[in-house]
Amino acid sequence: MVKKTSDDIKNTLKGVDVVEISYTERGYHLAIEAQKENIVSIVEFFDKKSFYLADLCCVDYVDYLELVYFFNNHKEPCRVKVTLKVEPDKPSAPTISHIYTIAHWYEREIHEFFGVYFEGHPHLVYLFLHDAIDIYPLRKKQVSVTEDDKKLLSSFKPEEFEDGFFINLGPQHPSTHGVLRVVVKMDGEYIVSAEPVLGYLHRMHEKMAENRSYVQFLPNPPRMDYLGALNFNLGHVTTIEKLCNIEVPERAQYIRTITAELNRISSHLLWVGAFVADLGGLTPFLYTFQDREHILDILEGITGSRLTYCYFRFGGLYNDVDDAFIDATKQFIKHLRGRFGMYEKLVTKNVIFINRVKGIGVLEPGITTKYGCSGPVIRSTGIPFDIRKVEPYAAYDKIDFEIPVGATGDNMDRYMIRIREMEISLNIIEKAIEKLPSGPFKAEKVPKKLKPPKGDVYHAVESPRGELGVYIVSDESDTPYRMKWRVPSYSNLMTFPYLAEGELISDAIATLGSYDLVIPEIDR
Amino acid sequence: MNDIIQIIGQETVKVIIGLIGVLILVVVNALMLTWLERKVSAHIQRRIGPKEVGPYGLLQPIVDGIKLLGKEILTPANVDRPLYYLAPVLIFIPVLVSFVVIPFDTCLQVKDINVGILVILAFSSLSVLSILLAGWGSNNKYSLIGSLRSVAQNIAYEIPLLLSILPVIFMTNSLSLKDIVEVQREGWFIWKWQFFAFLIYFIAGLAETNRTPFDLPEAESELVAGYITEYSGMRFALFFLAEYTSIMIISAVATVFFLGGYLGPILPGFVWFFIKTYFLVFVIMWFRWTFPRVRFDQLLNFSWKILIPAAFINLLVTGGLLKL
Amino acid sequence: MTFILEIINGAISLISGMCVTTKAFFSPVVTVQYPRQTVKISPRFRGHTKLVADEERPEKTKCIVCGMCERNCPSKSIIKVEGEKLEGEKKKTATVYILNFTTCSQCGLCVETCPTDALAFSADYNAVSFMKEDFHYDLIKEFQKRIKA
């Protein structure tokens, strides 16, 4: 796939240099340097080849700004990094939002954080920030926001809409999504348009990363997604191990797999409870929390925390596991296997639930590349894309497991996929416990002050919500130069305005619930 | 004393005492039902509900009432004042009046009006009016949507409600609730061919009182709190108590029509009446904590396309059997 | 015909759901009646940090006032670490160690990077106060209280 793509690029696009990169060192296969004139044609080429836009970020090297586009393929991994250099004062670049719809939000984010103006973008308003902030935050030198830019950024005022009846769903909401506000324009009970407004929980994790050393940033990723905290921790740690070429001992890899899968089960259990609570059935929420308590107790026994685990370190783990952990996990596996029948009777076979959920929120496989969906959302459309199989990390290449896919892409499929994923995770944990080798739990010779070599690296991990990508640029000092987190809920949420058009508001809320959004990770 | 009784008339004194008794019963009952709901929901969710205040938390509703009395009664700025103030009062009146005709025992009925069931049905339609007043007067988009949904739901489900009790009236030849109970001495209507009527009545009654699975007007996760969003303090308490009392009325009418009212061996009549009524109330609460919510158009579909035809068929079959 | 079958299947699913909740109704409660009953704390629980006694001189802590924990804390929660060099000792002994627990995220970096393993997690989970200053723990004072008891 990599060779084929590289040859295709050389044949179709003239004057474009393709460089092959070592995947094990950098995390991507090809690198292309683009100019402002040919960036749109390069992006159109990738769109024709059904690549999806995995990430779009900007790095401020003081003499120039560099826009970095990451493309990837659902069928076979082939990560392509396309870079575009932009001048530092009054930077501007052509927009690609007409080709990839997810770029609408990426470009808005880059505009408000770096000041890059995208020509042709229809709606460059504030995504996370607000108009009391006078500088572009992620620039290395202080650059103030110009008056015209401020006017452009604050031009979204839904309270001044004259026609139509609009209501706010949120930001304080009785459902457990988080702090999400959706401005919904309604016509009776039907939705005409829905626009999510983000930024209520923005804490500038990426700026914090630039001011703290690699080790000091360790508590931050679990706070970004508190439900899949170990997976975020794993993504962070594996990326830096890739950058510094640290080898992790086998025992640590297996324990990382076991704990990450336990975390996945606890996140899915909470989602099942919250989803049915959104629809009105308040009891399964309590039952899933009761099951989740077991996992929290098990993980508290080894990590010491119950929700925001800071357990993995560079080169291994903080401490080893003991026999009590293994026994408790085996008991838990047996207990949870017996509970699935109860959930089936109470929720899955319930006729009211089926009528609320089947055939609603149907996502076609054709548009998933435009949005870069990942996780159960894309698996529900029939595409078996799972980072654990496609680009294995930790011990996933040594354990055999299957990937559940759905048929129609509706809410029912997403629900069934998550239930099935829980069962598969139990199998993975069982196999990993059997194969658990003995040995050291931490690599030796990991320097206390980590100074990685110069360069950039990208690594993706499968969190319970989808593909989590970490892009780190290092300049040999002990703090990262730029750290960008590509979070799965961001691109999944972007499909919501598309799916909510023309739906009843009850259906839209059920669809929003089925995405399994965690807003703190979107807002970072 | 006797002079006063002679002037006013014995009937009137009996009615006044009955009304006072009903008032006390309604208030105590509504408070107890809040306690029962919390306990039932807690045990279904495998936890203990209120347990600190009084033995088994029995004094919890009283303490809650005191708390609600002490809350500041906020009136938002742009509400339509007459409608906003009238709505909670108006919702409590129908349920109070409906208790007048319910027979708790052979001689424990405030007044045996000979069109008793019509009184109850007529007054339950009045509660729709108060919901509409609450939703419109609150000057709030969520309240408006919630109250409009409630109005449509109430209108749609009144027809099956009526149609399902018509067969019983046919079999009794009387609209008076006392007569209906007396006829059941030969056998309760629930196993004298009216099982489906009982089911239809129960489901329609659930929808009339806005209980799960038909509680869209108060859908918490969608519309914050529906038509009672803008009410706080004692006004909110009135809405709540009216809902619990109307549950009681639906169960009481179901008991009278299908389960034999106060008939039963050994124990006194009103004990049996309360056992049967509270059993149905318990089932209603059980439904709330087991099922998710039905979507609005599915709800209306269910009424118009499933319940009404079923009720009609039941009516025709009963009429046919009675003729033969 | 299929219409009636659908209705019957739907009704059966509703009744089986009700059986599940009935079973739960008669099952024992799973909650712990805090504060009358308490939950056992696991030994690895991350409360606030505490200083560990030196094996050879149990009335002193192992802290040598190197400042590694202060420098490594991501949220700058360790406010003051001071010590003095007593006569006849090779390394410094700590006299003041103030931890601002309101900004601590229990990441464990201080415990990990301490060269003498002088810090450990305590199991203190229900600290409560009206003032923020009460959470500026002086770990030396707490250590002395602990060894007196």
Side-chain angles (χ1 to χ4, degrees):
Chain A
M1 185 71 178
V2 178
K3 197 83 185 66
K4 184 170 166 312
T5 316
S6 157
D7 292 335
D8 277 338
I9 298 176
K10 286 194 190 117
N11 297 338
T12 342
L13 300 163
K14 305 283 175 247
V16 170
D17 268 335
V18 185
V19 182
E20 285 207 19
I21 309 279
S22 146
Y23 173 73
T24 41
E25 271 182 44
R26 294 263 167 259
Y28 49 92
H29 298 98
L30 304 169
I32 299 178
E33 230 188 86
Q35 317 292 332
K36 275 197 205 169
E37 297 85 32
N38 58 9
I39 179 73
V40 181
S41 45
I42 295 179
V43 173
E44 274 170 2
F45 167 80
F46 282 115
D47 182 34
K48 262 199 277 283
K49 294 278 175 194
S50 317
F51 276 64
Y52 71 92
L53 182 66
D55 199 0
L56 209 188
C57 64
C58 180
V59 190
D60 183 6
Y61 303 103
V62 183
D63 309 321
Y64 58 93
L65 295 174
E66 184 170 70
L67 289 173
V68 183
Y69 302 72
F70 276 105
F71 292 95
N72 192 8
N73 197 308
H74 286 308
K75 297 196 192 52
E76 261 188 60
C78 172
R79 287 195 191 271
V80 184
K81 170 178 126 167
V82 179
T83 54
L84 175 66
K85 285 197 178 46
V86 183
E87 66 280 358
D89 8 74
K90 290 206 196 309
S92 74
T95 182
I96 61 167
S97 51
H98 53 281
I99 313 171
Y100 282 106
T101 328
I102 186 62
H104 268 281
W105 281 9
Y106 282 130
E107 292 178 351
R108 271 166 75 178
E109 188 186 340
I110 295 179
H111 173 70
E112 67 183 359
F113 279 110
F114 288 91
V116 180
Y117 180 73
F118 287 93
E119 294 138 11
H121 193 286
H123 196 57
L124 269 180
V125 298
Y126 278 124
L127 190 63
F128 294 134
L129 304 177
H130 54 89
D131 53 7
I133 298 182
D134 288 326
I135 57 167
Y136 293 118
L138 282 176
R139 295 286 285 260
K140 293 289 175 183
K141 292 206 177 69
Q142 270 207 3
V143 178
S144 352
V145 184
T146 58
E147 275 304 314
D148 299 329
D149 225 4
K150 242 198 195 169
K151 233 185 292 191
L152 173 64
L153 282 167
S154 342
S155 53
F156 177 62
K157 289 202 188 328
E159 53 268 18
E160 292 168 11
F161 284 173
E162 286 294 322
D163 56 336
F165 173 70
F166 81 94
I167 65 174
N168 278 327
L169 290 176
Q172 293 131 320
H173 215 258
S175 327
T176 48
H177 299 145
V179 206
L180 172 68
R181 171 181 170 204
V182 183
V183 177
V184 171
K185 193 159 165 197
M186 297 190 38
D187 167 31
E189 285 263 340
Y190 287 92
I191 293 183
V192 170
S193 76
E195 176 160 348
V197 177
L198 305 171
Y200 285 90
L201 203 52
H202 182 64
R203 295 152 290 169
M204 300 245 38
H205 276 287
E206 296 178 357
K207 187 76 179 173
M208 273 200 261
E210 294 174 16
N211 291 332
R212 281 167 178 57
S213 70
Y214 289 94
V215 180
Q216 282 181 329
F217 190 66
L218 271 172
N220 288 37
R223 270 81 180 165
M224 278 194 229
D225 174 10
Y226 42 79
L227 293 177
L230 279 174
N231 292 288
F232 268 63
N233 206 344
L234 186 58
H236 181 229
V237 158
T238 334
T239 317
I240 293 178
E241 282 160 6
K242 202 179 218 174
L243 185 61
C244 307
N245 232 339
I246 301 174
E247 189 161 326
V248 182
E250 281 253 345
R251 185 176 169 86
Q253 299 277 37
Y254 275 90
I255 296 177
R256 279 182 180 179
T257 314
I258 296 174
T259 45
E261 289 303 310
L262 276 175
N263 204 332
R264 187 183 309 269
I265 296 176
S266 94
S267 167
H268 283 330
L269 276 174
L270 190 145
W271 174 80
V272 169
F275 184 51
V276 188
D278 259 354
L279 300 175
L282 298 162
T283 325
F285 188 68
L286 273 290
Y287 294 160
T288 58
F289 262 69
Q290 182 197 331
D291 290 332
R292 199 167 163 258
E293 280 298 302
H294 294 277
I295 301 184
L296 261 47
D297 285 338
I298 293 174
L299 286 173
E300 185 188 356
I302 44 163
T303 68
S305 327
R306 286 173 76 86
L307 194 67
T308 50
Y309 311 103
C310 190
Y311 180 48
F312 304 142
R313 296 284 188 269
F314 304 129
L317 317 164
Y318 179 68
N319 57 271
D320 205 354
V321 302
D322 48 2
D323 286 329
F325 169 76
I326 308 277
D327 292 331
T329 315
K330 286 190 184 153
Q331 238 178 348
F332 170 71
I333 295 177
K334 218 166 42 179
H335 162 84
L336 190 60
R337 284 210 171 116
R339 297 277 278 184
F340 283 124
M342 185 268 285
Y343 287 121
E344 193 158 318
K345 272 198 274 190
L346 184 60
V347 183
T348 318
K349 293 254 161 74
N350 194 326
V351 63
I352 303 177
F353 177 75
I354 294 180
N355 279 329
R356 272 311 283 276
V357 153
K358 214 174 171 67
I360 294 171
V362 178
L363 195 62
E364 302 103 34
I367 64 161
T368 50
T369 50
K370 297 262 182 247
Y371 291 95
C373 312
S374 55
V377 175
I378 198 176
R379 289 197 277 277
S380 74
T381 63
I383 302 177
F385 179 63
D386 189 333
I387 305 275
R388 294 176 290 171
K389 275 280 196 212
V390 165
E391 297 176 51
Y393 52 94
Y396 286 110
D397 44 358
K398 306 190 186 76
I399 301 180
D400 195 28
F401 61 97
E402 57 170 25
I403 303 175
V405 281
T408 40
D410 58 2
N411 292 349
M412 188 66 177
D413 275 340
R414 290 189 269 274
Y415 171 84
M416 290 309 296
I417 285 178
R418 289 195 179 100
I419 299 272
R420 192 77 195 103
E421 267 184 17
M422 279 201 271
E423 295 170 9
I424 292 174
S425 290
L426 286 176
N427 293 342
I428 296 179
I429 296 176
E430 233 180 7
K431 288 188 190 149
I433 290 184
E434 274 170 42
K435 290 186 178 173
L436 188 64
S438 54
F441 63 89
K442 201 168 182 175
E444 306 144 0
K445 308 272 196 273
V446 176
K448 284 221 161 142
K449 242 183 164 42
L450 202 62
K451 288 202 168 136
K454 207 169 170 117
D456 60 358
V457 70
Y458 186 91
H459 184 74
V461 166
E462 178 85 11
S463 93
R465 282 142 208 56
E467 172 190 349
L468 165 74
V470 187
Y471 176 60
I472 299 186
V473 176
S474 119
D475 62 345
E476 279 185 346
S477 72
D478 57 349
T479 61
Y481 192 75
R482 171 85 166 102
M483 188 186 278
K484 167 81 168 58
W485 290 80
R486 182 255 186 230
V487 289
S489 301
Y490 193 80
S491 33
N492 288 347
L493 178 60
M494 185 74 193
T495 60
F496 179 65
Y498 169 75
L499 286 182
E501 244 178 78
E503 294 276 349
L504 289 167
I505 195 163
S506 324
D507 286 343
I509 293 188
T511 315
L512 194 62
S514 77
Y515 280 148
D516 196 2
L517 300 172
V518 172
I519 309 300
E521 76 172 5
I522 302 183
D523 284 349
R524 268 163 278 141
Chain B
M1 191 64 187
N2 276 328
D3 305 331
I4 303 179
I5 296 179
Q6 265 180 350
I7 295 173
I8 306 176
Q10 216 180 24
E11 267 304 307
T12 324
V13 170
K14 194 162 151 240
V15 169
I16 291 176
I17 296 179
L19 278 176
I20 297 175
V22 159
L23 201 61
I24 297 176
L25 171 74
V26 161
V27 171
V28 169
N29 176 58
L31 289 177
M32 277 306 118
L33 280 185
T34 56
W35 173 85
L36 186 67
E37 167 115 61
R38 285 175 73 166
K39 276 300 210 185
V40 166
S41 76
H43 280 283
I44 288 182
Q45 293 163 357
R46 300 191 69 177
R47 54 187 176 92
I48 308 179
K51 74 185 246 299
E52 293 287 322
V53 193
Y56 294 107
L58 278 167
L59 296 178
Q60 182 77 36
I62 301 175
V63 177
D64 277 343
I66 296 175
K67 176 200 86 167
L68 277 172
L69 279 174
K71 277 214 188 289
E72 176 186 359
I73 302 188
L74 284 173
T75 311
N78 294 329
V79 295
D80 198 339
R81 271 170 207 254
L83 302 179
Y84 184 79
Y85 292 151
L86 199 57
V89 175
L90 208 57
I91 201 169
F92 214 65
I93 295 178
V95 293
L96 271 177
V97 174
S98 308
F99 262 106
V100 165
V101 289
I102 297 203
F104 297 102
D105 203 344
T106 34
C107 49
L108 272 184
Q109 190 181 15
V110 179
K111 183 111 179 87
D112 186 21
I113 305 176
N114 55 352
V115 286
I117 187 60
L118 277 186
V119 169
I120 295 184
L121 286 176
F123 274 101
S124 77
S125 319
L126 260 187
S127 62
V128 180
L129 178 67
S130 94
I131 293 177
L132 195 54
L133 292 182
W136 178 260
S138 295
N139 193 28
N140 182 343
K141 287 175 246 204
Y142 302 109
S143 311
L144 190 64
I145 299 181
S147 73
L148 293 176
R149 282 180 175 177
S150 175
V151 167
Q153 181 180 325
N154 259 313
I155 294 175
Y157 278 91
E158 271 193 24
I159 303 178
L161 195 74
L162 183 63
L163 286 177
S164 60
I165 51 182
L166 268 181
V168 173
I169 297 176
F170 281 179
M171 291 171 86
T172 324
N173 281 330
S174 156
L175 286 170
S176 148
L177 286 160
K178 187 85 171 286
D179 293 345
I180 294 175
V181 178
E182 291 298 323
V183 168
Q184 288 183 65
R185 284 198 191 268
E186 290 126 31
W188 297 353
F189 279 127
I190 191 173
W191 40 69
K192 264 178 101 173
W193 310 115
Q194 298 302 337
F195 181 66
F196 286 111
F198 172 66
L199 281 182
I200 296 172
Y201 172 81
F202 200 61
I203 297 176
L206 271 181
E208 281 288 309
T209 53
N210 295 340
R211 287 290 287 193
T212 315
F214 305 112
D215 67 346
L216 237 63
E218 333 170 321
E220 270 173 5
S221 46
E222 295 176 28
L223 292 179
V224 190
Y227 58 91
I228 48 177
T229 316
E230 293 287 348
Y231 287 94
S232 62
M234 212 53 212
R235 298 199 184 118
F236 170 72
L238 277 175
F239 274 108
F240 239 67
L241 296 180
E243 178 178 323
Y244 282 116
T245 319
S246 61
I247 293 179
M248 185 72 178
I249 297 223
I250 296 284
S251 311
V253 172
T255 319
V256 161
F257 270 75
F258 298 100
L259 291 180
Y262 50 78
L263 299 169
I266 308 168
L267 295 167
F270 65 92
V271 174
W272 271 117
F273 181 82
F274 278 114
I275 290 178
K276 293 174 197 171
T277 312
Y278 276 115
F279 172 70
L280 286 181
V281 169
F282 172 71
V283 172
I284 293 182
M285 290 182 179
W286 190 7
F287 276 9
R288 178 178 184 182
W289 299 106
T290 315
F291 301 134
R293 212 173 284 132
V294 177
R295 206 178 64 203
F296 193 55
D297 59 331
Q298 291 165 350
L299 188 151
L300 294 176
N301 271 344
F302 186 63
S303 162
W304 294 104
K305 293 186 192 162
I306 300 182
L307 280 189
I308 292 185
F312 262 124
I313 294 175
N314 190 16
L315 189 62
L316 287 173
V317 168
T318 314
L321 283 178
L322 277 179
K323 189 76 175 145
L324 303 170
Chain C
M1 194 57 212
T2 45
F3 188 61
I4 300 185
L5 267 178
E6 262 180 47
I7 297 185
I8 295 180
N9 275 337
I12 293 178
S13 73
L14 294 180
I15 295 179
S16 75
M18 283 170 69
C19 292
V20 170
T21 37
T22 322
K23 204 163 138 211
F25 189 79
F26 293 110
S27 316
V29 291
V30 292
T31 49
V32 168
Q33 306 310 313
Y34 187 81
R36 291 179 202 199
Q37 304 167 316
T38 49
V39 184
K40 203 162 68 90
I41 298 290
S42 84
R44 284 210 178 275
F45 180 76
R46 292 187 183 186
H48 64 83
T49 47
K50 65 179 184 197
L51 286 167
V52 174
D54 197 352
E55 284 102 26
E56 289 136 34
R57 308 162 299 144
E59 72 281 2
K60 291 220 172 10
T61 64
K62 285 194 202 168
C63 177
I64 55 168
V65 198
C66 61
M68 288 279 291
C69 54
E70 199 175 342
R71 278 195 294 275
N72 264 329
C73 179
S75 31
K76 311 265 184 289
S77 302
I78 303 180
I79 309 182
K80 207 155 47 144
V81 185
E82 281 170 13
E84 58 193 12
K85 198 154 180 334
L86 299 172
E87 300 204 12
E89 306 268 340
K90 280 210 209 120
K91 303 244 161 98
K92 282 190 185 174
T93 339
T95 51
V96 178
Y97 190 113
I98 303 199
L99 163 73
N100 177 7
F101 193 51
T102 59
T103 53
C104 172
S105 58
Q106 289 116 36
C107 58
L109 287 173
C110 54
V111 175
E112 219 181 330
T113 55
C114 178
T116 51
D117 288 332
L119 286 167
F121 282 114
S122 70
D124 193 14
Y125 63 91
N126 50 6
V128 68
S129 160
F130 283 109
M131 293 195 305
K132 210 163 65 162
E133 285 73 29
D134 285 343
F135 289 107
H136 290 210
Y137 294 132
D138 189 346
L139 295 187
I140 300 282
K141 286 210 184 76
E142 294 198 358
F143 172 75
Q144 281 162 350
K145 246 190 274 183
R146 250 196 342 261
I147 50 171
K148 276 206 194 94

